[in-house]
Every structure is written in structure tokens, then in C-alpha cells.
Amino acid sequence: MIKKFLLLPLLAIASIMWAITGCAGAETPDGKGDGHGDPQISYEPLTVMIFNIRVDADSGDRSWSSRKDNVFGHILEKGADIVCLQEVKESQYADITENLSDDYNIVYYTRDNSSNSEGLAILYKDIFRLISEERF
């Protein structure tokens, strides 16, 4: 059974993909859309990454301070349009914002209001416009 918290990134991605493909039309091999979108527009693929970055509970090579540069480097190298990060602590969110906010807009929610809570961060490029956000 999928926990509600883990389902959030999947629902967010599914909603975005539905909105994009439902409104614009899918790309055909000739790059001219499927007849529902504007045939003059060249449609680009949507790239999505999902990471469980693990809370900073380990030491040594598994600690966040040892892993974070690799995580940021991988995200920037791949250049995904949307990145969903799970198990993000407040201190990790601060690092994410410091290292990725030049390339991504970031929405972050914690599981609850406790000081030790983990959360979910959704990073998205400027090709998207955030219309609204809510927590459920």
C-alpha cells in the first residue's frame, strides 16, 4: 500500500503531465502535434526526476554532507523540467534552495509542523507557471 505522503509527488507529476498533454496535444513523429494543438508549435518532451534523498540520519559516506554535492550535480547535469524530492529535512531544504534556486523554482511542504519533520520539495523550471498550491 502506498502511503499518502509518498503518493504526493506522483499525483503532482500526473496532474502536470495531464494538464500539459491535455491542453497542448501530444507530439507526433513529424513534431507537429496530434491535431489538437497548434501545428506551428514544436513540442518538447517533459523530463521528470524523483529522488528519495534520505534524511540526514547516517554518518560517513551516507551522510547528507557527503551526498549533497552529488545530488545537486546530478540534478543540474540532467536538467529535468520537474524534480520531486522526498524525505527532505529543513536543513536539507536550506541546502537545496542555496544550490538549486538559480535553476529551479521550489515548493516545499513538511509532513507536519514538528521541528523534526521531513517534507517534500518540488522543483520546477521557469517554463512552468505556478497557478496555485495547497496542502492536503
Side-chain angles (χ1 to χ4, degrees):
M1 180 174 165
I2 298 177
K3 292 182 179 179
K4 181 179 174 183
F5 183 73
L6 297 177
L7 190 59
L8 290 177
L10 299 176
L11 290 174
I13 292 168
S15 297
I16 291 168
M17 291 177 76
W18 174 82
I20 291 170
T21 59
C23 295
E27 183 177 359
T28 59
D30 63 4
K32 295 184 178 179
D34 66 357
H36 298 291
D38 185 338
Q40 302 302 314
I41 296 174
S42 174
Y43 296 98
E44 298 293 326
L46 174 70
T47 55
V48 179
M49 296 173 76
I50 301 174
F51 279 95
N52 182 327
I53 62 168
R54 293 179 44 95
V55 297
D56 191 11
D58 296 319
S59 59
D61 292 344
R62 300 177 90 185
S63 70
W64 174 243
S65 60
S66 297
R67 295 182 288 117
K68 66 182 178 180
D69 289 338
N70 288 335
V71 170
F72 301 145
H74 188 73
I75 290 171
L76 292 171
E77 176 187 334
K78 297 300 180 186
D81 299 317
I82 300 169
V83 181
C84 297
L85 303 174
Q86 302 169 30
E87 293 191 15
V88 179
K89 293 284 200 172
E90 288 283 340
S91 61
Q92 292 170 310
Y93 172 65
D95 290 336
I96 291 164
T97 301
E98 181 180 325
N99 287 276
L100 299 175
S101 63
D102 287 345
D103 297 277
Y104 290 95
N105 299 299
I106 305 170
V107 177
Y108 176 68
Y109 286 109
T110 57
R111 185 185 301 248
D112 54 44
N113 292 327
S114 71
S115 62
N116 197 31
S117 184
E118 61 191 45
L120 168 72
I122 300 175
L123 293 68
Y124 60 97
K125 290 200 170 180
D126 284 335
I127 59 173
F128 301 102
R129 181 173 49 102
L130 181 64
I131 297 172
S132 68
E133 62 179 279
E134 67 181 85
R135 179 181 178 154
F136 60 93

